[in-house]
Amino acid sequence: MGALRAVNPTSVVNLTVHGVGPAPRQLDPDEDGTWVSVDRFERVLDAVTGRDDVVITFDDGNASDVDIALPRLLDRKLTAEFFLPAGLLGQPGRLDYAGVRQLLRAGMSIGSHGWAHVNWRGLDPQRARQEMVEAHRVLDELTGQRVTRVAVPFGSYDRHVLRRLRQAHVTRVYTSDGGRARPGSWLQSRNSLRHDLDAEWIDGVLNSVPPLPARMKKLAARTVKRMRG
Ligand SMILES: [Zn+2]
């Protein structure tokens, strides 16, 4: 696998963390698979420490962002970008305003994960405005900065979603399509941490070269496993 380990300096690996440690609230069915143990989270952080081709992002504004992730990032001198659902802040198990300010003070970046964590495909114009414009205003006010980057809820988008994001002057869009991304590109694919991630998963995500479409990822993972016996 030597050739695949070579780091391509013209591309980055974007990682997405959702929640870490014991879940403090009832999880949605689709969240179950992405909530990772503290131990697995630390293994990922240790693997990316010192790598300038890895970007760490957090979605959903879970309280574990501050309670568990932040001290472990700081221990390793890592920074990350936190995408917050503006309308859910302060709810049980989520970050509150004080938590958001704590992230900023620690040198972390804030982006938008919309308003209410809904699927952005097929939104009516009014909901789209709340998700992609008003959410930013609330986060601007809260952070004292212009929030111009978004992470798409559920990684669910189509050309209409992208058109609306362009109209809203969003400067970067993080999806969940997997594989590597070009550092400066507007659309950035990411790789979500899985609850059952292991050393092989970490190696595959961090050291693979070709950006694989999401639908190919499982097949590719199985192929790699076979090749390794
Ligand atoms: Zn989300």
Side-chain angles (χ1 to χ4, degrees), residues 8-217:
N8 180 351
T10 61
S11 70
V12 293
V13 177
N14 297 310
L15 299 177
T16 315
V17 186
H18 290 85
V20 185
R25 60 180 168 80
Q26 185 75 37
L27 297 180
D28 296 336
D30 59 291
E31 289 185 285
D32 273 338
T34 58
W35 206 280
V36 294
S37 68
V38 174
D39 178 60
R40 284 190 164 95
F41 176 66
E42 289 183 335
R43 270 186 263 165
V44 173
L45 291 189
D46 288 339
V48 308
T49 298
R51 286 195 47 163
D52 57 7
D53 66 328
V54 178
V55 175
I56 308 170
T57 69
F58 288 77
D59 280 6
D60 300 351
N62 286 304
S64 63
D65 289 0
V66 164
D67 297 341
I68 298 175
L70 181 59
R72 288 166 174 80
L73 290 167
L74 292 174
D75 278 350
R76 294 164 179 81
K77 299 187 165 44
L78 293 167
T79 54
E81 197 162 353
F82 292 77
F83 292 91
L84 310 177
L88 302 184
L89 295 175
Q91 292 193 1
R94 307 271 183 182
L95 290 178
D96 57 13
Y97 289 2
V100 177
R101 284 192 288 267
Q102 204 177 330
L103 289 175
L104 283 168
R105 274 200 309 275
M108 305 294 151
S109 307
I110 301 297
S112 175
H113 200 39
W115 183 262
H117 207 251
V118 294
N119 189 338
W120 282 355
R121 294 177 69 170
L123 288 179
D124 65 49
Q126 195 182 339
R127 290 297 298 277
R129 193 176 163 72
Q130 184 180 46
E131 289 287 327
M132 301 174 198
V133 179
E134 285 165 25
H136 292 207
R137 287 210 190 117
V138 168
L139 293 172
D140 285 351
E141 203 157 308
L142 179 57
T143 61
Q145 304 172 349
R146 284 277 296 178
V147 169
T148 64
R149 295 181 173 201
V150 306
V152 179
F154 314 108
S156 173
Y157 67 95
D158 56 17
R159 63 196 170 89
H160 304 292
V161 170
L162 298 183
R163 177 176 45 81
R164 280 172 163 158
L165 291 172
R166 282 200 188 88
Q167 286 169 352
H169 306 295
V170 164
T171 58
R172 178 165 290 190
V173 179
Y174 283 105
T175 68
S176 307
D177 293 336
R180 299 182 75 94
R182 281 205 313 277
S185 74
W186 187 67
L187 205 58
Q188 293 274 326
S189 64
R190 298 183 299 173
N191 304 270
S192 286
L193 268 58
R194 302 285 314 169
H195 71 99
D196 56 355
L197 72 87
D198 55 12
E200 189 175 21
W201 182 93
I202 293 173
D203 183 49
V205 168
L206 294 186
N207 301 322
S208 76
V209 174
L212 297 173
R215 65 183 178 281
M216 292 289 293
K217 269 173 50 186

